[in-house]
Amino acid sequence: MTITIKNEDDIKKMRIAGQLASEVLDFITPFVKPEITTEEIDRLCHNFMVDEQKTIPAPLNYAPPGHTPYPKSLCTSVNNQICHGIPGPKILKKGDIVNIDITVIKDGYHGDTSRMFYIGEPSILAKRLCDTTYQCMWHGITQVKPGNHLGDIGHAIQNYAEDHGFSVVREFCGHGIGKVFHEDPQILHYGNPGEGIELKEGMVFTIEPMINAGKRDIKMLSDGWTVVTKDRSLSAQWEHTILVTNEGFEVLTVSEGTPKPWNPTK
Ligand code: MF3
Ligand code: CO
Ligand code: CO
């Protein structure tokens, strides 16, 4: 396992990449309404990234071992889709929830962030799931400081999710990030306090819990990418890219439209 420690110059560039990724979500927010298709979201964001920001959409043609190249510029995961939903002709309708996951490359560095969006009014369950997942992400983020362990992050997330009657997806996790999209370490969204490697200043990784309203089991669709809940229950996800600072953490994926940090009091 090789964990890269970022220096001041890397960090400057990662702040820029992180802000740009977040600004794509700000840009698309007013369009995420009933009747838009997920491929229209992809097209609008793709053009914004390439033409306005001069960023590279990292998902496009991304092909980790054992996968066919990813065909679009972002992921749209709707309702029972957990992650890596491929944009297509699906029309979003009132009551749907959708995760939009953006990864840009700027000046060789990646910024990776996702948010949940409501199409019209969400059901009480959908809202509770999205809010709880947001809070799970923040419970994880506030565990980030030198001397804490990866298991502290996972445990905080799992505890909060399960206390609310929801389950944590195990097959996908957060990841180190920098010049490489997915690098060490893996950031599990479950675990035990004190377990796993110790956090060190200069590490950068994502925290991106996927939380299911029903059971945690997953199913992969035949497109080779889209991951859904086996029991067809709703699933939600939020993601930020986080730097370990000497005092604690810095969220790198911030922009004007970033939802307010939520400070868990426990
Ligand atoms: N952005 C996703 C993540 O958070 C990865 C998407 S890879 C893709 O790690 F190929 F599906 F786009
Ligand atoms: Co990620
Ligand atoms: Co992502």
Side-chain angles (χ1 to χ4, degrees):
M1 179 153 79
T2 340
I3 298 173
T4 61
I5 296 294
K6 275 73 181 175
N7 64 31
E8 253 324 301
D9 182 59
D10 299 324
I11 292 166
K12 267 192 199 132
K13 291 172 176 164
M14 291 207 74
R15 277 195 193 104
I16 293 168
Q19 179 178 338
L20 287 163
S22 189
E23 283 173 353
V24 179
L25 291 171
D26 297 351
F27 159 78
I28 200 63
T29 298
F31 298 98
V32 188
K33 294 273 142 63
E35 300 309 319
I36 194 167
T37 64
T38 52
E39 66 196 358
E40 183 70 358
I41 292 173
D42 178 73
R43 191 184 64 81
L44 290 165
C45 289
H46 176 93
N47 291 343
F48 182 73
M49 290 185 261
V50 172
D51 299 334
E52 309 283 327
Q53 293 189 324
K54 319 285 181 201
T55 57
I56 300 168
L60 190 58
N61 298 315
Y62 181 63
H67 282 272
T68 53
Y70 188 80
K72 296 286 180 181
S73 296
L74 50 82
C75 301
T76 48
S77 304
V78 184
N79 296 336
N80 62 319
Q81 297 180 345
I82 296 170
C83 63
H84 306 163
I86 302 175
K90 189 190 208 47
I91 298 169
L92 296 178
K93 53 177 204 311
K94 282 186 190 152
D96 285 343
I97 57 170
V98 58
N99 174 276
I100 303 179
D101 191 343
I102 302 290
T103 312
V104 303
I105 308 170
K106 182 70 166 186
D107 210 359
Y109 289 82
H110 292 73
D112 189 5
T113 184
S114 79
R115 299 180 197 158
M116 294 303 299
F117 295 83
Y118 302 135
I119 310 301
E121 271 299 303
S123 69
I124 289 166
L125 173 65
K127 185 169 190 312
R128 203 167 67 81
L129 177 67
C130 294
D131 286 350
T132 303
T133 304
Y134 185 68
Q135 292 167 352
C136 281
M137 176 182 69
W138 270 101
H139 269 292
I141 291 172
T142 54
Q143 287 298 317
V144 175
K145 58 174 176 225
N148 264 12
H149 291 250
L150 285 181
D152 298 320
I153 299 173
H155 178 75
I157 293 169
Q158 179 180 11
N159 223 16
Y160 193 81
E162 292 178 356
D163 272 359
H164 288 76
F166 297 139
S167 64
V168 177
V169 171
R170 308 278 178 118
E171 289 82 354
F172 297 88
C173 54
H175 49 92
I177 183 168
K179 288 182 180 153
V180 174
F181 192 168
H182 295 105
E183 62 183 30
D184 287 332
Q186 294 196 3
I187 312 298
L188 306 183
H189 303 117
Y190 59 92
N192 297 307
E195 289 185 359
I197 57 146
E198 190 181 320
L199 303 182
K200 298 254 177 345
E201 185 179 351
M203 289 180 180
V204 178
F205 50 77
T206 70
I207 297 180
E208 49 179 304
M210 285 144 273
I211 305 297
N212 297 347
K215 297 208 169 76
R216 70 174 175 89
D217 309 70
I218 67 158
K219 204 178 98 180
M220 173 72 78
L221 296 191
S222 58
D223 63 22
W225 280 102
T226 311
V227 180
V228 300
T229 56
K230 192 171 170 210
D231 62 9
R232 300 194 168 81
S233 65
L234 288 176
S235 187
Q237 178 177 31
W238 290 82
E239 176 176 25
H240 270 312
T241 300
I242 308 294
L243 165 71
V244 183
T245 65
N246 114 70
E247 312 231 293
F249 64 86
E250 178 182 332
V251 180
L252 299 180
T253 34
V254 286
S255 61
E256 211 134 290
T258 303
K260 267 207 304 297
W262 175 78
N263 280 311
T265 42
K266 257 273 154 87

